[in-house]
Amino acid sequence: MKIFDEIESEVQSYARSFPRVFCRAKGELMWDEEGNQYLDFLAGAGTLNYGHNNPIFKEVLLDYIQADGITHGLDMHTKAKGEFLQALNEKILKPRNMEYVVQFTGPTGTNAVEAAMKIARNVTGQQNIVTFTNGFHGVSLGSLAATGNSHHRDAAGVSLNGTHRMPFDGYLGKNIDTTEYLDKVLSDSSSGINSPAAVIVETVQGEGGINVASAEWLRNLQSICRKHGLLFIVDDIQAGCGRTGDYFSFEEAGIEPDIITLSKSLGGYGLPFAVVLMKPELDQWKPGEHNGTFRGNNLAFVTAKSAIEHYWSDDKFSQEIKRKGKYIAERLDNIVSKYGEGHFTRKGRGMFQGIDCVSGEIAGKITHSAFKQGLIIETSGADDHIVKLLCPLIISDQNLAKGIDIIESAIKEVCAAETEMPEEKVYFKAC
């Protein structure tokens, strides 16, 4: 550990929560240098939906490397890129009647968001983007302006502008449809919010606290975008690629975004990869107008194609995710009914769920206890008050049950030591 203390920046984050030197991983398991085994319920913050070192992807990747396949290709045409595009079109887009142009951006989610917002601004001629409370879209300056978290925003060093912040679904209470407020301010010429270029939204806010937008709210949001001529951007970087049960997290709502951002598990193997999907009429870029040296990661194209072909050629994998998601919901509902004195709640959907512990201190104690018991799991939310389950989608039933057993054990231990459970403050009471 000495070298990390000597020369690695203080900006490191996850290493503080899990102070071990990890050396091997397989599926949903990781091992440190001392041979200790851990269940991984973090999964690269949602990058490893298909697990560590997935053998299906590993085989095709090794074959590609052995054959001296192109590794780095800028935005040139390559066999690997063409085969990925073919798989995406035939297995993902066409079966869903989706017609989109694919833009390969720099290989990070934040770069895809930057590109999506640029597209919206250039096409509409408007500057501002409507974003939502507790949203997280990245930490480069453009996407950081759309991010709500003050911890990240405060690090910018400059004023963050070009966005309008609106209340997410449920932010003003359960019985208030916040899309009505958006419609009102867009309709009122004196609201101070005039003619934005687009709206950007996560259907499930991961870093913001696993806040779920209802299908009805998303449909209303799309209707308002169309009414007022705003482009509708869905940031599906963490909630997409099967995390909620369907390939895209917005499928159950029946909406049709103008622009979609994807990254994290898109590459399948944990290799950096991000794209923007846009309606064909929006593809008004001039050549090279938004570029990036590493937008041609052909190794990621190979594993991404393999992921699509193996897991998304039919609905079997999707049904498995939904089955496991139902199990997670049942287990977490049972846990919150037993602990937290009625103040804990379950949040999320599919295999994107967690427990709201109200207090960040308590949630932190729970994840710390879980790590001592062999489970890697983190917190999320404005105050880090959500214990967040983000295990690989391919996890075995046995290990899924084992991981939740550890969570329950940790919660039981922490709650037993607390003299009083904190209550969530209610700001907006229903009439």
Side-chain angles (χ1 to χ4, degrees):
M1 298 285 284
K2 186 179 179 182
I3 189 65
F4 303 111
D5 295 333
E6 283 183 355
I7 65 171
E8 187 176 6
S9 167
E10 290 297 319
V11 79
Q12 60 187 280
S13 175
Y14 292 113
R16 300 178 188 278
S17 299
F18 313 113
R20 299 289 188 276
V21 177
F22 296 97
C23 61
R24 189 165 67 91
K26 184 74 172 177
E28 61 267 33
L29 300 172
M30 296 180 69
W31 289 266
D32 65 21
E33 284 191 325
E34 296 175 357
N36 299 306
Q37 178 182 283
Y38 301 85
L39 263 173
D40 184 7
F41 269 42
L42 176 61
T47 301
L48 297 162
N49 281 2
Y50 310 102
H52 294 270
N53 288 301
N54 188 301
I56 299 163
F57 309 158
K58 183 194 292 186
E59 183 178 355
V60 297
L61 183 59
L62 290 174
D63 287 346
Y64 184 82
I65 293 171
Q66 190 65 40
D68 292 330
I70 301 294
T71 298
H72 176 275
L74 294 171
D75 68 352
M76 291 184 287
H77 298 329
T78 65
K79 186 172 184 287
K81 184 199 282 190
E83 290 181 349
F84 162 73
L85 286 171
Q86 190 71 26
L88 179 70
N89 199 35
E90 295 297 326
K91 304 290 187 180
I92 302 298
L93 300 181
K94 284 185 177 180
R96 293 163 177 79
N97 295 314
M98 297 171 69
E99 185 181 0
Y100 288 87
V101 170
V102 182
Q103 178 185 357
F104 295 89
T105 67
T108 61
T110 192
N111 195 264
V113 169
E114 296 277 2
M117 294 197 298
K118 277 188 188 178
I119 293 164
R121 287 168 170 146
N122 289 338
V123 169
T124 65
Q126 302 295 331
Q127 294 184 357
N128 290 325
I129 308 289
V130 173
T131 68
F132 291 93
T133 51
N134 290 305
F136 183 90
H137 301 284
V139 296
S140 52
L141 288 182
S143 55
L144 184 57
T147 293
N149 187 286
S150 62
H151 172 73
H152 294 102
R153 292 174 65 84
D154 288 348
V158 297
S159 297
L160 298 170
N161 49 38
T163 61
H164 296 300
R165 191 85 46 193
M166 288 288 145
F168 190 71
D169 191 15
Y171 191 79
L172 301 181
K174 293 181 179 180
N175 298 315
I176 298 177
D177 183 353
T178 57
T179 61
E180 293 181 357
Y181 175 64
L182 175 61
D183 189 18
K184 170 66 175 176
V185 298
L186 291 173
S187 301
D188 184 353
S189 62
S190 293
S191 69
I193 296 176
N194 56 308
S195 302
V199 163
I200 186 168
V201 68
E202 302 157 275
T203 66
V204 182
Q205 294 182 324
E207 301 307 308
I210 318 187
N211 306 310
V212 179
S214 71
E216 181 182 9
W217 188 87
L218 289 168
R219 288 191 290 267
N220 291 343
L221 181 59
Q222 177 175 265
S223 295
I224 289 165
C225 286
R226 290 177 175 172
K227 174 182 175 181
H228 294 281
L230 280 65
L231 295 179
F232 186 27
I233 306 170
V234 171
D235 180 346
D236 227 18
I237 288 167
Q238 189 163 104
C241 297
R243 177 55 56 180
T244 63
D246 298 309
Y247 189 82
F248 296 106
S249 69
F250 54 80
E251 288 184 51
E252 73 168 33
I255 58 175
E256 188 178 355
D258 298 299
I259 302 171
I260 304 162
T261 59
L262 290 173
S263 186
K264 288 194 182 283
S265 280
L266 179 62
Y269 203 71
L271 298 171
F273 186 17
V275 299
V276 173
L277 307 180
M278 71 191 91
K279 290 294 186 180
E281 64 271 16
L282 302 179
D283 185 24
Q284 299 178 24
W285 290 113
K286 297 173 184 176
E289 203 168 23
H290 184 94
N291 59 25
T293 303
F294 293 99
R295 65 195 183 280
N297 184 357
N298 283 252
L299 302 184
F301 299 159
V302 170
T303 52
K305 169 188 175 255
S306 183
I308 290 171
E309 290 185 339
H310 184 80
Y311 290 102
W312 299 101
S313 290
D314 54 39
D315 70 346
K316 291 179 183 178
F317 186 56
S318 176
Q319 293 304 318
E320 272 291 284
I321 299 168
K322 292 174 182 178
R323 179 185 65 80
K324 290 174 183 176
K326 183 178 179 182
Y327 171 78
I328 293 169
E330 290 171 351
R331 287 292 309 273
L332 297 191
D333 282 340
N334 181 260
I335 290 170
V336 300
S337 71
K338 290 163 63 176
Y339 306 102
E341 298 179 3
H343 304 312
F344 288 3
T345 54
R346 176 180 65 84
K347 305 185 75 175
R349 62 184 176 92
M351 292 182 72
F352 199 178
Q353 299 191 48
I355 294 178
D356 184 347
C357 301
V358 184
S359 160
E361 182 180 356
I362 289 175
K365 289 178 181 178
I366 291 168
T367 56
H368 181 70
S369 172
F371 184 58
K372 289 193 294 183
Q373 297 179 57
L375 180 71
I376 297 171
I377 189 168
E378 258 290 16
T379 58
S380 74
D383 299 311
D384 292 319
H385 56 290
I386 311 293
V387 175
K388 178 182 178 183
L389 285 71
L390 211 62
C391 59
L393 305 180
I394 51 83
I395 190 171
S396 69
D397 289 355
Q398 180 183 4
N399 280 333
L400 179 58
K402 180 181 177 181
I404 298 177
D405 287 344
I406 292 173
I407 293 170
E408 182 168 7
S409 172
I411 289 174
K412 180 179 180 180
E413 174 191 311
V414 171
C415 287
E418 296 292 325
T419 56
E420 186 177 357
M421 286 291 122
E423 295 184 41
E424 184 177 5
K425 184 175 180 179
V426 177
Y427 288 90
F428 303 96
K429 294 182 179 180
C431 298

